[in-house]
Amino acid sequence: MLNENLLATLKLELDSEILDKNVARVYAEFQKELYKDLGLDDFCDSFAQTLTYSLFLARLNSQGEKIDLYNAKKHIPKSFPLIRELSNFLNTLDDLDSIKWLLGEIVTIVNHIDIAQIITELNKQSEKNLLGE
């Protein structure tokens, strides 16, 4: 639901030309680098998902440290350059009150994920695959 709210807010602001020039720049980069015919709906969906995933990835790599909107980027591995680049968007949050609260809610949820349990489950799946089960 939060991801849907983020998506709707991004779309509304891009439609109304209120949105910070940094997000408009990201939209232009998506069109230039990924898909030139990328429509607004698809961009907003992709951007919202990528921001959410970047926060999850930061938490996964934070070694137990709680993440926030200002320290998340330092926990995103360099092996994910596109996601690191998109997370630069988080540096402009002071100008983006309309979605800052939504991202804060996503961070709260991500910080309550049991990372150890996820890793345990992933390891179980890996073992099953190695054993041919």
Side-chain angles (χ1 to χ4, degrees), residues 8-9 16 27 29-30 35 37 50 52 60 69 75-76 83 88-89 99 114 116 121 126:
T9 302
S16 65
Y27 181 35
E29 283 298 313
F30 263 68
Y35 183 56
D37 295 327
T50 303
T52 302
L60 189 63
L69 295 174
H75 297 294
I76 298 171
I83 292 175
N88 282 333
F89 170 77
I99 63 170
D114 186 347
E121 290 299 318
S126 294

Side-chain angles (χ1 to χ4, degrees), residues 54-116:
S54 69
L55 294 170
F56 171 73
L57 187 61
R59 176 67 173 107
L60 189 63
N61 291 285
S62 70
Q63 299 177 339
E65 178 184 345
K66 299 285 185 186
I67 63 162
D68 59 40
L69 295 174
Y70 302 99
N71 74 0
K73 184 178 177 185
K74 78 177 186 179
H75 297 294
I76 298 171
K78 290 183 170 95
S79 58
F80 291 89
L82 179 61
I83 292 175
R84 283 183 63 83
E85 182 62 33
L86 290 176
S87 69
N88 282 333
F89 170 77
L90 297 174
N91 296 334
T92 66
L93 284 174
D94 291 334
D95 300 328
L96 300 171
D97 290 332
S98 62
I99 63 170
K100 187 176 182 178
W101 74 271
L102 287 166
L103 292 171
E105 292 294 319
I106 293 169
V107 165
T108 298
I109 292 167
V110 167
N111 277 325
H112 286 89
I113 293 173
D114 186 347
I115 299 296

